[in-house]
Amino acid sequence: MSYVDNIIALVEKKDAGQPEFIQAAKEVLDSLRIIVDQDSIYEKAGLLERLIEPERMIAFRIPWVDDAGKVHVNRGFRVQYNSAIGPYKGGIRFHPSVNQSIIKFLGFEQTLKNSLTGLPMGGGKGGCDFDPKGKSENEVMRFCQSFMTELYRHIGPDTDVPAGDIGVGAREVGFMYGQYKRIVNNFTGVFTGKGLTWGGSLGRTEATGYGLVYIVDEYLKTISDGFKGKKVVISGSGNVAIFAAQKAQSLGATVIGMSDSNGFICHKEGINLDTMKDVKLVKRERLTKYAEVHKDAVYTEASKGRVWDIACDIALPCATQNELFIDDAKNLVKNGCKIVGEGANMPTTMDATEYLLGNGIAFFPGKAANAGGVSTSGLEMSQNSTRLSWSFDEVDAKLKNIMAGIFKSMDSAAKEYGKPGNFVLGANVAGFKKVAKAMLDQGVI
Ligand code: NDP
């Protein structure tokens, strides 16, 4: 068996019961054969064994009291995956599905993603099985304070810098940062995605969605094309989805479909983003409300159809992991879709990814395509360190440059290793090379 096969077997044995982590690890390891099996230096240094094992995995209890006085206990995690190229960096997710497997897969992906940005950030991720849906503002605040009362001892501006993710937006970051500051008595840039009046960066809210559209646009330019006139379908209606839709529309595309965890909207005239933001970001309601406002939009329950059934030129999965399956991939191809760009982390299953690649779809993996968020977090850290604030246009221009750089790195790596257009391989290889070099330089640690 080759070195890579041995490591895949090791992961399957050691991490049995962690399907999302095994899925992410296998996809990356498979791409790395082309480098790792050609040079014995990696096996000699035990590099893959070290790359797949987090440096540290913290699990903790989060007790909190609801408005009725009942005590609840949730389980929190922080994985500090790899610090070879910088302090651990990665978001915090609040969602009932959160478990060790999901946090590990996200932290592993984050390590390579952060490397691709070209900024000095290691990989980390955190979260909790808490569901903010249906909780009062005070309950969310008490929960966030309890979460941080444990997490604070493990993080710091040069150690580990968390940010938001699913279920953690500006409100939750504010509550967690407030508690951190109160405990350590120190105003530092220990979080990104902060509010604009207390150290946040302009452009961070929009960055992941905008970055996704920028990287796809970078590709379109190589075939002398652009977003203008394209029909776009986006899953999710949270932070990433809404700002991807905003940027795609500003470049002349029509976004005709969006979803949430209960169903999806098809609006052939184009999604009205003012309504969408009001329903999902301000009022935190269900998508059915959108169809109540726009009578020409059609709402379909998740049990009765898929957002990927809507014919489009470009599909942008921006909701969650494993939300675009093989049958969805077949439908997209059949209906003429040419591009799939992952705004979410690992939204496409492995067989669906293979199908899309095998059918000539330009496929942009999340670790490259959604790196705009963490890149702008990196820019927020730079602004905090120098105590400066850049304008929106400055940050946005830097984001655009970073996304163009990521496109170039993965495109070049795919070509160099004989698989032009295979951006999955390109992103994995380009992200890995930088981390691997740093790990080899730093010895067996
Ligand atoms: P949000 O919580 O803001 O939004 C998530 C959206 O996805 C909501 O509309 C939610 O619907 C929907 N959703 C969640 N689960 C499902 C499901 N099973 N089926 C269909 N829809 C679902 O999260 P973000 O937009 O921040 O994150 C989305 C994805 O992007 C995640 O994979 C995240 O890891 C990734 N990402 C986010 C970054 C960021 O900067 N925020 C950076 C890089 C990656 P509902 O309203 O019903 O819950």
Side-chain angles (χ1 to χ4, degrees), residues 93 133 165 167 204 208 237-240 261 280 286 319 344-345:
R93 176 177 293 192
K133 270 196 208 107
D165 190 72
R204 173 61 187 93
T208 309
S237 44
N239 172 272
V240 180
S261 46
K280 297 302 294 185
R286 314 311 305 155
N345 285 309

Side-chain angles (χ1 to χ4, degrees), residues 3-13 22 25-27 29-30 33 52:
Y3 181 35
V4 164
D5 285 326
N6 279 329
I7 300 301
I8 291 178
L10 180 76
V11 172
E12 283 175 332
K13 186 164 166 236
I22 292 173
K26 263 176 147 172
E27 185 224 270
L29 290 167
D30 216 32
R33 289 178 194 282
I52 54 152

Side-chain angles (χ1 to χ4, degrees), residues 352-412:
T353 303
E354 275 158 26
Y355 185 85
L356 293 169
L357 287 172
N359 281 275
I361 300 294
F363 180 84
F364 296 83
K367 70 171 72 64
N370 69 33
V374 75
S375 301
T376 308
S377 282
L379 301 178
E380 184 173 328
M381 288 163 76
S382 302
Q383 291 170 81
N384 292 162
S385 302
T386 54
R387 298 185 191 273
L388 290 173
S389 298
W390 302 333
S391 69
F392 183 92
D393 288 347
E394 261 177 294
V395 175
D396 193 44
K398 285 182 171 41
L399 169 65
K400 216 184 243 179
N401 253 333
I402 292 171
M403 297 315 293
I406 294 175
F407 177 73
K408 203 165 159 223
S409 307
M410 70 178 183
D411 188 40
S412 308

Side-chain angles (χ1 to χ4, degrees), residues 27 89 95 139 150 221 226 229 293 337 351 384 388 397 406:
E27 185 224 270
K89 179 90 198 86
H95 193 271
E139 287 173 332
E150 175 56 34
K221 277 191 236 152
V293 178
C337 177
D351 53 353
N384 292 162
L388 290 173
I406 294 175

Side-chain angles (χ1 to χ4, degrees), residues 219-400:
Y219 161 76
L220 284 168
K221 277 191 236 152
T222 66
I223 53 169
S224 305
D225 202 355
F227 268 89
K228 199 166 184 348
K230 298 282 187 302
K231 293 208 177 333
V232 178
V233 167
I234 301 179
S235 64
S237 44
N239 172 272
V240 180
I242 284 182
F243 290 103
Q246 183 163 302
K247 183 48 73 178
Q249 286 190 351
S250 77
L251 295 180
T254 309
V255 177
I256 54 173
M258 288 183 81
S259 65
D260 69 8
S261 46
N262 293 108
F264 68 91
I265 288 285
C266 178
H267 196 172
K268 296 272 187 224
E269 293 307 305
I271 296 281
N272 181 310
L273 281 177
D274 290 337
T275 310
M276 189 57 85
K277 283 180 186 172
D278 186 54
V279 170
K280 297 302 294 185
L281 299 184
V282 180
K283 300 199 174 115
R284 297 171 192 265
E285 286 180 317
R286 314 311 305 155
L287 263 190
T288 41
K289 289 277 170 202
Y290 181 96
E292 286 171 19
V293 178
H294 297 279
K295 303 289 181 208
D296 55 340
V298 180
Y299 176 80
T300 308
E301 292 280 339
S303 57
K304 298 199 176 114
R306 310 273 303 152
V307 72
W308 311 123
D309 295 343
I310 305 172
C312 63
D313 304 302
I314 300 175
L316 304 176
C318 295
T320 191
Q321 66 276 353
N322 292 332
E323 49 145 333
L324 197 162
F325 300 98
I326 181 75
D327 288 343
D328 301 322
K330 286 181 179 166
N331 264 341
L332 286 169
V333 170
K334 190 180 80 193
N335 291 332
C337 177
K338 295 282 181 282
I339 294 173
V340 174
E342 295 187 322
N345 285 309
M346 208 169 73
T348 317
T349 59
M350 262 168 103
D351 53 353
T353 303
E354 275 158 26
Y355 185 85
L356 293 169
L357 287 172
N359 281 275
I361 300 294
F363 180 84
F364 296 83
K367 70 171 72 64
N370 69 33
V374 75
S375 301
T376 308
S377 282
L379 301 178
E380 184 173 328
M381 288 163 76
S382 302
Q383 291 170 81
N384 292 162
S385 302
T386 54
R387 298 185 191 273
L388 290 173
S389 298
W390 302 333
S391 69
F392 183 92
D393 288 347
E394 261 177 294
V395 175
D396 193 44
K398 285 182 171 41
L399 169 65
K400 216 184 243 179

